[in-house]
Amino acid sequence: MTEHFGKILVAVGLGILFGVTPSFANDLSVSNVTLGTRDPNAQTVVVSFNVSWQNSWRNKINYDAAWLTVRLNNAQVSPTNAVLCQVSATGMNPAGTSVGSGTNLQMYVPADGTGAFLQPSSTGFVGNINTQNVQLTVNYQSCGFSNSDQIYANVFGIEMVFIPQGSFYAGDYNASTASLNSGSSDNTPWNISSENPIPVTNASSAGFQYVSGGNAGEYATASSFTVPAAFPKGYNAFYAMKYQINEGQWVQFINSIPAAARLNRDLADTNHKNSQSVLFRNTISCSGSPLLCSTQRPARALSYISWMDLASFLDWAALRPMTELEYEKVARGPMVPNPGEYVWGNQNINAATTISGTTEDGTETITAPTNANVNYGNTTFTGGDSAQGAGFTQGPLRGGIFAAATGATRVSSGASFYGAMDLDGNLKERVVTIGNAMGLAFTGTEGNGVLNTTTGYEGNATIAGWPGLDQTTPANGVDGALGSGFRGGSWADSANLLRTSDRTEAARTDTAALNTYGGRGVRTYDGP
């Protein structure tokens, strides 16, 4: 079906299922994308679509949301080089937007107009979202199209959780390696009570002391420096991805960027897993010219990504990297630290060993042990896909697999205080460190959907101030990893690395793409 608008031919777009997660993990679905009313003078067009997800909530503390971005392109079958377009009005429920047929919903568009948050509006809401004819009006001139172009629309969605403004603690009374403390003779945690600069000195007590994990290029314990005001410390409100990036999301990302950029993001090449086969449960394969990628398990958390890969995805998705202080805020919330705790708030940790069924289709669960709440310890799985061969027996699980349909608790589901899943284990979280100058230069600038086109550096993130940005030739974009690090541990790590305040690898610079490396993004909240 097509509609002719003067010289512009607007066609039905592709309904992208971005984040195909199982029924116990909210099942975000975007479908039936169409293009409607246009204004040739303002060069805007209405994009309509349906949105659904399960187990949504809004309480007095926080809520979940779907981050929706609109891309236009001129290829109907394959959304090659789909370009992010700006929503025409910003704020809460702005003109030109509609939450559709659903009730208890609101639409929030950030000031830069790069996307919109669809989220519950009523405190006390718990249930499933299923709304038809959601509408966003986008400016097609903002993404390089004119009234004479034939265009198609794609809508991408990512599940997020809202992290409210407020104080929190970083550190756990020295119970974890290199946890932050208040002084050389004071093991109380850092109290982050504002976004003001933090003077990190060699205080004996009642201050902010840095404790080093001993990584190359990392500040030594008791070093003096300042965490700048612009560095996102976690006090101000932000949204965080509910799950780590999954294989389905990555395939849709890479297949929508220009052909030259795909070559640098090919997870099957020699810079990544170096195989088209399933290795450590990663099922991504890429072939052809132009390169096209596919996955057997779209709900599975994505491994084998480098810092450069993560930065590219987040830039494209109009998100940004998470800092290590924000990691502790998402995990712990405003609670006083429990020494040695994991992200679910205590020291109860039980590794999954057995997966339900014989095929992991996105609805699989963990059947043993019955109190399993995390994937760690280099476990060899039974059940699920494991019968298909060695490539399926060790590695990451699908996002949110420990969240049962009923009766789930924070501990049993391995959830953070604010409802983010899999912050511990499964795959390491790549974060921005406070442990060196390059990390501290990060100011939290959001991605803008535009990737590098410089020959040889196609597909790199291009945002100034992001860790890994080429300092000699910034036009090359993010081609390194200095300023990044890891938190949370992985499926192959011991329990100690999974502790909320463990900073063993917080300033570990690594450009590699290994089977234990994953990531997620965040976005600063700039609303009322």
Side-chain angles (χ1 to χ4, degrees), residues 2-4 7-11 35 72-76 145-153:
T2 59
E3 299 179 23
H4 294 270
K7 291 184 179 181
I8 191 168
L9 177 64
V10 182
L35 287 166
L72 299 181
N73 64 288
N74 54 14
Q76 183 175 17
F145 294 95
S146 67
N147 289 333
S148 61
D149 289 318
Q150 174 174 300
I151 58 175
Y152 302 86

Side-chain angles (χ1 to χ4, degrees), residues 177-188:
T177 301
S179 65
L180 300 171
N181 61 42
S182 297
S184 57
S185 60
D186 183 352
N187 66 5
T188 58

